[in-house]
PDB file of all heavy atoms in Angstrom:
ATOM      1  N   ILE A 249      -9.010 -36.619 -27.161  1.00 97.00           N
ATOM      2  CA  ILE A 249     -10.379 -36.219 -27.495  1.00 97.00           C
ATOM      3  C   ILE A 249     -10.502 -35.972 -28.992  1.00 97.00           C
ATOM      4  O   ILE A 249     -11.429 -36.437 -29.656  1.00 97.00           O
ATOM      5  CB  ILE A 249     -10.782 -34.969 -26.689  1.00 97.00           C
ATOM      6  CG1 ILE A 249     -10.844 -35.303 -25.202  1.00 97.00           C
ATOM      7  CG2 ILE A 249     -12.114 -34.400 -27.175  1.00 97.00           C
ATOM      8  CD1 ILE A 249     -11.042 -34.087 -24.307  1.00 97.00           C
ATOM      9  N   SER A 250      -9.543 -35.223 -29.527  1.00 97.00           N
ATOM     10  CA  SER A 250      -9.541 -34.952 -30.960  1.00 97.00           C
ATOM     11  C   SER A 250      -9.239 -36.215 -31.758  1.00 97.00           C
ATOM     12  O   SER A 250      -9.835 -36.454 -32.816  1.00 97.00           O
ATOM     13  CB  SER A 250      -8.509 -33.862 -31.271  1.00 97.00           C
ATOM     14  OG  SER A 250      -8.525 -33.520 -32.635  1.00 97.00           O
ATOM     15  N   ALA A 251      -8.320 -37.041 -31.249  1.00 98.00           N
ATOM     16  CA  ALA A 251      -7.980 -38.283 -31.945  1.00 98.00           C
ATOM     17  C   ALA A 251      -9.198 -39.199 -32.051  1.00 98.00           C
ATOM     18  O   ALA A 251      -9.402 -39.859 -33.081  1.00 98.00           O
ATOM     19  CB  ALA A 251      -6.843 -38.994 -31.214  1.00 98.00           C
ATOM     20  N   TRP A 252     -10.018 -39.254 -30.990  1.00 97.00           N
ATOM     21  CA  TRP A 252     -11.223 -40.090 -31.021  1.00 97.00           C
ATOM     22  C   TRP A 252     -12.180 -39.609 -32.106  1.00 97.00           C
ATOM     23  O   TRP A 252     -12.747 -40.421 -32.851  1.00 97.00           O
ATOM     24  CB  TRP A 252     -11.906 -40.068 -29.660  1.00 97.00           C
ATOM     25  CG  TRP A 252     -13.071 -41.005 -29.547  1.00 97.00           C
ATOM     26  CD1 TRP A 252     -13.045 -42.307 -29.161  1.00 97.00           C
ATOM     27  CD2 TRP A 252     -14.443 -40.697 -29.839  1.00 97.00           C
ATOM     28  NE1 TRP A 252     -14.318 -42.835 -29.181  1.00 97.00           N
ATOM     29  CE2 TRP A 252     -15.198 -41.874 -29.600  1.00 97.00           C
ATOM     30  CE3 TRP A 252     -15.107 -39.550 -30.278  1.00 97.00           C
ATOM     31  CZ2 TRP A 252     -16.575 -41.922 -29.790  1.00 97.00           C
ATOM     32  CZ3 TRP A 252     -16.483 -39.596 -30.473  1.00 97.00           C
ATOM     33  CH2 TRP A 252     -17.197 -40.782 -30.218  1.00 97.00           C
ATOM     34  N   GLY A 253     -12.350 -38.284 -32.215  1.00 97.00           N
ATOM     35  CA  GLY A 253     -13.216 -37.754 -33.262  1.00 97.00           C
ATOM     36  C   GLY A 253     -12.704 -38.090 -34.645  1.00 97.00           C
ATOM     37  O   GLY A 253     -13.473 -38.437 -35.554  1.00 97.00           O
ATOM     38  N   ALA A 254     -11.374 -38.026 -34.835  1.00 98.00           N
ATOM     39  CA  ALA A 254     -10.786 -38.396 -36.120  1.00 98.00           C
ATOM     40  C   ALA A 254     -10.977 -39.881 -36.400  1.00 98.00           C
ATOM     41  O   ALA A 254     -11.249 -40.288 -37.539  1.00 98.00           O
ATOM     42  CB  ALA A 254      -9.297 -38.042 -36.129  1.00 98.00           C
ATOM     43  N   LEU A 255     -10.857 -40.706 -35.368  1.00 98.00           N
ATOM     44  CA  LEU A 255     -11.047 -42.148 -35.531  1.00 98.00           C
ATOM     45  C   LEU A 255     -12.471 -42.471 -35.972  1.00 98.00           C
ATOM     46  O   LEU A 255     -12.692 -43.309 -36.858  1.00 98.00           O
ATOM     47  CB  LEU A 255     -10.723 -42.860 -34.219  1.00 98.00           C
ATOM     48  CG  LEU A 255     -10.855 -44.387 -34.208  1.00 98.00           C
ATOM     49  CD1 LEU A 255      -9.910 -45.021 -35.215  1.00 98.00           C
ATOM     50  CD2 LEU A 255     -10.581 -44.926 -32.803  1.00 98.00           C
ATOM     51  N   MET A 256     -13.442 -41.787 -35.378  1.00 97.00           N
ATOM     52  CA  MET A 256     -14.832 -42.001 -35.767  1.00 97.00           C
ATOM     53  C   MET A 256     -15.074 -41.553 -37.212  1.00 97.00           C
ATOM     54  O   MET A 256     -15.818 -42.205 -37.970  1.00 97.00           O
ATOM     55  CB  MET A 256     -15.776 -41.240 -34.829  1.00 97.00           C
ATOM     56  CG  MET A 256     -15.761 -41.736 -33.388  1.00 97.00           C
ATOM     57  SD  MET A 256     -16.201 -43.501 -33.202  1.00 97.00           S
ATOM     58  CE  MET A 256     -14.554 -44.246 -33.051  1.00 97.00           C
ATOM     59  N   GLU A 257     -14.423 -40.465 -37.630  1.00 97.00           N
ATOM     60  CA  GLU A 257     -14.573 -40.004 -39.008  1.00 97.00           C
ATOM     61  C   GLU A 257     -13.932 -40.996 -39.973  1.00 97.00           C
ATOM     62  O   GLU A 257     -14.456 -41.218 -41.078  1.00 97.00           O
ATOM     63  CB  GLU A 257     -13.951 -38.620 -39.169  1.00 97.00           C
ATOM     64  CG  GLU A 257     -14.146 -37.987 -40.531  1.00 97.00           C
ATOM     65  CD  GLU A 257     -15.600 -37.673 -40.865  1.00 97.00           C
ATOM     66  OE1 GLU A 257     -16.473 -37.749 -39.957  1.00 97.00           O
ATOM     67  OE2 GLU A 257     -15.882 -37.365 -42.042  1.00 97.00           O
ATOM     68  N   CYS A 258     -12.820 -41.603 -39.570  1.00 98.00           N
ATOM     69  CA  CYS A 258     -12.213 -42.650 -40.397  1.00 98.00           C
ATOM     70  C   CYS A 258     -13.192 -43.807 -40.613  1.00 98.00           C
ATOM     71  O   CYS A 258     -13.339 -44.323 -41.728  1.00 98.00           O
ATOM     72  CB  CYS A 258     -10.942 -43.171 -39.733  1.00 98.00           C
ATOM     73  SG  CYS A 258      -9.510 -42.071 -39.872  1.00 98.00           S
ATOM     74  N   GLN A 259     -13.881 -44.214 -39.555  1.00 96.00           N
ATOM     75  CA  GLN A 259     -14.836 -45.313 -39.678  1.00 96.00           C
ATOM     76  C   GLN A 259     -15.991 -44.935 -40.594  1.00 96.00           C
ATOM     77  O   GLN A 259     -16.466 -45.759 -41.379  1.00 96.00           O
ATOM     78  CB  GLN A 259     -15.332 -45.714 -38.291  1.00 96.00           C
ATOM     79  CG  GLN A 259     -14.236 -46.329 -37.426  1.00 96.00           C
ATOM     80  CD  GLN A 259     -14.735 -46.805 -36.081  1.00 96.00           C
ATOM     81  OE1 GLN A 259     -15.921 -46.779 -35.796  1.00 96.00           O
ATOM     82  NE2 GLN A 259     -13.804 -47.250 -35.230  1.00 96.00           N
ATOM     83  N   ARG A 260     -16.441 -43.681 -40.503  1.00 97.00           N
ATOM     84  CA  ARG A 260     -17.534 -43.244 -41.389  1.00 97.00           C
ATOM     85  C   ARG A 260     -17.110 -43.265 -42.854  1.00 97.00           C
ATOM     86  O   ARG A 260     -17.915 -43.538 -43.743  1.00 97.00           O
ATOM     87  CB  ARG A 260     -18.001 -41.848 -40.991  1.00 97.00           C
ATOM     88  CG  ARG A 260     -18.959 -41.814 -39.821  1.00 97.00           C
ATOM     89  CD  ARG A 260     -19.545 -40.428 -39.619  1.00 97.00           C
ATOM     90  NE  ARG A 260     -18.566 -39.522 -39.044  1.00 97.00           N
ATOM     91  CZ  ARG A 260     -18.408 -39.303 -37.740  1.00 97.00           C
ATOM     92  NH1 ARG A 260     -19.172 -39.957 -36.877  1.00 97.00           N
ATOM     93  NH2 ARG A 260     -17.515 -38.453 -37.298  1.00 97.00           N
ATOM     94  N   ARG A 261     -15.832 -42.958 -43.104  1.00 97.00           N
ATOM     95  CA  ARG A 261     -15.340 -42.848 -44.479  1.00 97.00           C
ATOM     96  C   ARG A 261     -14.745 -44.164 -45.005  1.00 97.00           C
ATOM     97  O   ARG A 261     -14.280 -44.224 -46.144  1.00 97.00           O
ATOM     98  CB  ARG A 261     -14.281 -41.742 -44.566  1.00 97.00           C
ATOM     99  CG  ARG A 261     -14.835 -40.340 -44.363  1.00 97.00           C
ATOM    100  CD  ARG A 261     -13.696 -39.322 -44.290  1.00 97.00           C
ATOM    101  NE  ARG A 261     -14.197 -37.960 -44.127  1.00 97.00           N
ATOM    102  CZ  ARG A 261     -14.255 -37.045 -45.100  1.00 97.00           C
ATOM    103  NH1 ARG A 261     -13.852 -37.374 -46.326  1.00 97.00           N
ATOM    104  NH2 ARG A 261     -14.700 -35.850 -44.869  1.00 97.00           N
ATOM    105  N   GLY A 262     -14.723 -45.190 -44.189  1.00 97.00           N
ATOM    106  CA  GLY A 262     -14.132 -46.459 -44.623  1.00 97.00           C
ATOM    107  C   GLY A 262     -12.622 -46.439 -44.657  1.00 97.00           C
ATOM    108  O   GLY A 262     -12.006 -47.245 -45.378  1.00 97.00           O
ATOM    109  N   ILE A 263     -11.997 -45.540 -43.914  1.00 97.00           N
ATOM    110  CA  ILE A 263     -10.533 -45.488 -43.817  1.00 97.00           C
ATOM    111  C   ILE A 263     -10.108 -46.385 -42.671  1.00 97.00           C
ATOM    112  O   ILE A 263     -10.540 -46.194 -41.526  1.00 97.00           O
ATOM    113  CB  ILE A 263     -10.053 -44.035 -43.579  1.00 97.00           C
ATOM    114  CG1 ILE A 263     -10.430 -43.165 -44.778  1.00 97.00           C
ATOM    115  CG2 ILE A 263      -8.547 -43.997 -43.324  1.00 97.00           C
ATOM    116  CD1 ILE A 263     -10.146 -41.684 -44.564  1.00 97.00           C
ATOM    117  N   ARG A 264      -9.281 -47.358 -42.955  1.00 97.00           N
ATOM    118  CA  ARG A 264      -8.896 -48.365 -41.963  1.00 97.00           C
ATOM    119  C   ARG A 264      -7.710 -47.876 -41.139  1.00 97.00           C
ATOM    120  O   ARG A 264      -6.676 -47.503 -41.692  1.00 97.00           O
ATOM    121  CB  ARG A 264      -8.571 -49.684 -42.659  1.00 97.00           C
ATOM    122  CG  ARG A 264      -9.734 -50.272 -43.451  1.00 97.00           C
ATOM    123  CD  ARG A 264      -9.265 -51.392 -44.361  1.00 97.00           C
ATOM    124  NE  ARG A 264      -8.297 -50.879 -45.340  1.00 97.00           N
ATOM    125  CZ  ARG A 264      -7.688 -51.659 -46.247  1.00 97.00           C
ATOM    126  NH1 ARG A 264      -7.949 -52.953 -46.279  1.00 97.00           N
ATOM    127  NH2 ARG A 264      -6.833 -51.136 -47.086  1.00 97.00           N
ATOM    128  N   VAL A 265      -7.884 -47.888 -39.835  1.00 98.00           N
ATOM    129  CA  VAL A 265      -6.827 -47.517 -38.896  1.00 98.00           C
ATOM    130  C   VAL A 265      -6.390 -48.792 -38.172  1.00 98.00           C
ATOM    131  O   VAL A 265      -7.235 -49.491 -37.592  1.00 98.00           O
ATOM    132  CB  VAL A 265      -7.346 -46.467 -37.887  1.00 98.00           C
ATOM    133  CG1 VAL A 265      -6.280 -46.133 -36.854  1.00 98.00           C
ATOM    134  CG2 VAL A 265      -7.824 -45.205 -38.605  1.00 98.00           C
ATOM    135  N   PRO A 266      -5.099 -49.160 -38.243  1.00 97.00           N
ATOM    136  CA  PRO A 266      -3.964 -48.390 -38.773  1.00 97.00           C
ATOM    137  C   PRO A 266      -3.543 -48.777 -40.189  1.00 97.00           C
ATOM    138  O   PRO A 266      -2.507 -48.306 -40.654  1.00 97.00           O
ATOM    139  CB  PRO A 266      -2.855 -48.770 -37.791  1.00 97.00           C
ATOM    140  CG  PRO A 266      -3.112 -50.214 -37.516  1.00 97.00           C
ATOM    141  CD  PRO A 266      -4.620 -50.348 -37.485  1.00 97.00           C
ATOM    142  N   ASP A 267      -4.303 -49.618 -40.871  1.00 96.00           N
ATOM    143  CA  ASP A 267      -3.869 -50.094 -42.189  1.00 96.00           C
ATOM    144  C   ASP A 267      -3.689 -48.938 -43.172  1.00 96.00           C
ATOM    145  O   ASP A 267      -2.699 -48.899 -43.914  1.00 96.00           O
ATOM    146  CB  ASP A 267      -4.889 -51.087 -42.755  1.00 96.00           C
ATOM    147  CG  ASP A 267      -4.938 -52.384 -41.956  1.00 96.00           C
ATOM    148  OD1 ASP A 267      -4.147 -52.498 -40.996  1.00 96.00           O
ATOM    149  OD2 ASP A 267      -5.762 -53.251 -42.273  1.00 96.00           O
ATOM    150  N   ASP A 268      -4.656 -48.032 -43.204  1.00 97.00           N
ATOM    151  CA  ASP A 268      -4.600 -46.908 -44.134  1.00 97.00           C
ATOM    152  C   ASP A 268      -4.008 -45.655 -43.497  1.00 97.00           C
ATOM    153  O   ASP A 268      -3.457 -44.803 -44.198  1.00 97.00           O
ATOM    154  CB  ASP A 268      -6.006 -46.569 -44.635  1.00 97.00           C
ATOM    155  CG  ASP A 268      -6.662 -47.716 -45.387  1.00 97.00           C
ATOM    156  OD1 ASP A 268      -5.926 -48.562 -45.917  1.00 97.00           O
ATOM    157  OD2 ASP A 268      -7.902 -47.764 -45.423  1.00 97.00           O
ATOM    158  N   LEU A 269      -4.130 -45.547 -42.190  1.00 98.00           N
ATOM    159  CA  LEU A 269      -3.702 -44.320 -41.513  1.00 98.00           C
ATOM    160  C   LEU A 269      -3.285 -44.648 -40.084  1.00 98.00           C
ATOM    161  O   LEU A 269      -4.038 -45.304 -39.350  1.00 98.00           O
ATOM    162  CB  LEU A 269      -4.870 -43.307 -41.471  1.00 98.00           C
ATOM    163  CG  LEU A 269      -4.597 -41.997 -40.731  1.00 98.00           C
ATOM    164  CD1 LEU A 269      -3.791 -41.044 -41.609  1.00 98.00           C
ATOM    165  CD2 LEU A 269      -5.908 -41.331 -40.301  1.00 98.00           C
ATOM    166  N   SER A 270      -2.086 -44.208 -39.693  1.00 98.00           N
ATOM    167  CA  SER A 270      -1.667 -44.302 -38.296  1.00 98.00           C
ATOM    168  C   SER A 270      -2.159 -43.067 -37.550  1.00 98.00           C
ATOM    169  O   SER A 270      -2.064 -41.947 -38.057  1.00 98.00           O
ATOM    170  CB  SER A 270      -0.142 -44.394 -38.192  1.00 98.00           C
ATOM    171  OG  SER A 270       0.315 -45.687 -38.484  1.00 98.00           O
ATOM    172  N   LEU A 271      -2.683 -43.291 -36.348  1.00 98.00           N
ATOM    173  CA  LEU A 271      -3.276 -42.202 -35.571  1.00 98.00           C
ATOM    174  C   LEU A 271      -2.724 -42.253 -34.151  1.00 98.00           C
ATOM    175  O   LEU A 271      -2.810 -43.281 -33.471  1.00 98.00           O
ATOM    176  CB  LEU A 271      -4.794 -42.341 -35.564  1.00 98.00           C
ATOM    177  CG  LEU A 271      -5.595 -41.263 -34.831  1.00 98.00           C
ATOM    178  CD1 LEU A 271      -5.376 -39.895 -35.459  1.00 98.00           C
ATOM    179  CD2 LEU A 271      -7.092 -41.618 -34.852  1.00 98.00           C
ATOM    180  N   LEU A 272      -2.178 -41.118 -33.692  1.00 98.00           N
ATOM    181  CA  LEU A 272      -1.552 -41.017 -32.371  1.00 98.00           C
ATOM    182  C   LEU A 272      -2.165 -39.842 -31.611  1.00 98.00           C
ATOM    183  O   LEU A 272      -2.259 -38.733 -32.147  1.00 98.00           O
ATOM    184  CB  LEU A 272      -0.043 -40.806 -32.534  1.00 98.00           C
ATOM    185  CG  LEU A 272       0.816 -40.702 -31.276  1.00 98.00           C
ATOM    186  CD1 LEU A 272       0.784 -42.006 -30.481  1.00 98.00           C
ATOM    187  CD2 LEU A 272       2.257 -40.337 -31.657  1.00 98.00           C
ATOM    188  N   GLY A 273      -2.598 -40.085 -30.378  1.00 98.00           N
ATOM    189  CA  GLY A 273      -3.200 -39.033 -29.570  1.00 98.00           C
ATOM    190  C   GLY A 273      -2.272 -38.516 -28.489  1.00 98.00           C
ATOM    191  O   GLY A 273      -1.064 -38.765 -28.499  1.00 98.00           O
ATOM    192  N   PHE A 274      -2.865 -37.794 -27.538  1.00 98.00           N
ATOM    193  CA  PHE A 274      -2.118 -37.260 -26.397  1.00 98.00           C
ATOM    194  C   PHE A 274      -3.028 -37.256 -25.171  1.00 98.00           C
ATOM    195  O   PHE A 274      -4.185 -36.835 -25.242  1.00 98.00           O
ATOM    196  CB  PHE A 274      -1.642 -35.830 -26.663  1.00 98.00           C
ATOM    197  CG  PHE A 274      -1.177 -35.116 -25.414  1.00 98.00           C
ATOM    198  CD1 PHE A 274       0.097 -35.315 -24.919  1.00 98.00           C
ATOM    199  CD2 PHE A 274      -2.042 -34.284 -24.709  1.00 98.00           C
ATOM    200  CE1 PHE A 274       0.511 -34.697 -23.753  1.00 98.00           C
ATOM    201  CE2 PHE A 274      -1.635 -33.660 -23.545  1.00 98.00           C
ATOM    202  CZ  PHE A 274      -0.360 -33.868 -23.059  1.00 98.00           C
ATOM    203  N   GLY A 275      -2.496 -37.725 -24.045  1.00 98.00           N
ATOM    204  CA  GLY A 275      -3.209 -37.601 -22.791  1.00 98.00           C
ATOM    205  C   GLY A 275      -3.528 -38.898 -22.091  1.00 98.00           C
ATOM    206  O   GLY A 275      -3.765 -38.907 -20.897  1.00 98.00           O
ATOM    207  N   ASP A 276      -3.600 -40.005 -22.832  1.00 97.00           N
ATOM    208  CA  ASP A 276      -3.939 -41.308 -22.257  1.00 97.00           C
ATOM    209  C   ASP A 276      -5.246 -41.259 -21.465  1.00 97.00           C
ATOM    210  O   ASP A 276      -5.314 -41.658 -20.299  1.00 97.00           O
ATOM    211  CB  ASP A 276      -2.801 -41.832 -21.370  1.00 97.00           C
ATOM    212  CG  ASP A 276      -2.996 -43.294 -20.983  1.00 97.00           C
ATOM    213  OD1 ASP A 276      -3.743 -43.993 -21.688  1.00 97.00           O
ATOM    214  OD2 ASP A 276      -2.423 -43.724 -19.957  1.00 97.00           O
ATOM    215  N   PHE A 277      -6.301 -40.768 -22.099  1.00 96.00           N
ATOM    216  CA  PHE A 277      -7.629 -40.766 -21.497  1.00 96.00           C
ATOM    217  C   PHE A 277      -8.155 -42.199 -21.404  1.00 96.00           C
ATOM    218  O   PHE A 277      -7.811 -43.059 -22.216  1.00 96.00           O
ATOM    219  CB  PHE A 277      -8.592 -39.922 -22.320  1.00 96.00           C
ATOM    220  CG  PHE A 277      -8.351 -38.440 -22.209  1.00 96.00           C
ATOM    221  CD1 PHE A 277      -7.301 -37.826 -22.884  1.00 96.00           C
ATOM    222  CD2 PHE A 277      -9.182 -37.645 -21.440  1.00 96.00           C
ATOM    223  CE1 PHE A 277      -7.087 -36.470 -22.796  1.00 96.00           C
ATOM    224  CE2 PHE A 277      -8.979 -36.279 -21.343  1.00 96.00           C
ATOM    225  CZ  PHE A 277      -7.923 -35.688 -22.020  1.00 96.00           C
ATOM    226  N   ASP A 278      -9.036 -42.438 -20.437  1.00 95.00           N
ATOM    227  CA  ASP A 278      -9.576 -43.785 -20.229  1.00 95.00           C
ATOM    228  C   ASP A 278     -10.238 -44.342 -21.487  1.00 95.00           C
ATOM    229  O   ASP A 278     -10.097 -45.529 -21.796  1.00 95.00           O
ATOM    230  CB  ASP A 278     -10.590 -43.778 -19.075  1.00 95.00           C
ATOM    231  CG  ASP A 278      -9.916 -43.660 -17.717  1.00 95.00           C
ATOM    232  OD1 ASP A 278      -8.702 -43.918 -17.637  1.00 95.00           O
ATOM    233  OD2 ASP A 278     -10.610 -43.309 -16.742  1.00 95.00           O
ATOM    234  N   PHE A 279     -10.972 -43.486 -22.215  1.00 95.00           N
ATOM    235  CA  PHE A 279     -11.722 -44.009 -23.352  1.00 95.00           C
ATOM    236  C   PHE A 279     -10.802 -44.520 -24.457  1.00 95.00           C
ATOM    237  O   PHE A 279     -11.210 -45.313 -25.297  1.00 95.00           O
ATOM    238  CB  PHE A 279     -12.687 -42.951 -23.906  1.00 95.00           C
ATOM    239  CG  PHE A 279     -12.018 -41.691 -24.399  1.00 95.00           C
ATOM    240  CD1 PHE A 279     -11.367 -41.660 -25.619  1.00 95.00           C
ATOM    241  CD2 PHE A 279     -12.068 -40.530 -23.640  1.00 95.00           C
ATOM    242  CE1 PHE A 279     -10.763 -40.496 -26.079  1.00 95.00           C
ATOM    243  CE2 PHE A 279     -11.466 -39.370 -24.083  1.00 95.00           C
ATOM    244  CZ  PHE A 279     -10.807 -39.341 -25.303  1.00 95.00           C
TER     245      PHE A 279
END
Side-chain angles (χ1 to χ4, degrees):
I249 294 172
S250 183
W252 186 89
L255 181 61
M256 295 302 99
E257 185 65 11
C258 284
Q259 293 183 5
R260 279 189 286 268
R261 292 173 179 257
I263 297 173
R264 300 167 298 178
V265 177
D267 293 358
D268 299 336
L269 177 79
S270 282
L271 182 62
L272 181 64
F274 166 82
D276 191 21
F277 287 77
D278 286 342
F279 60 77

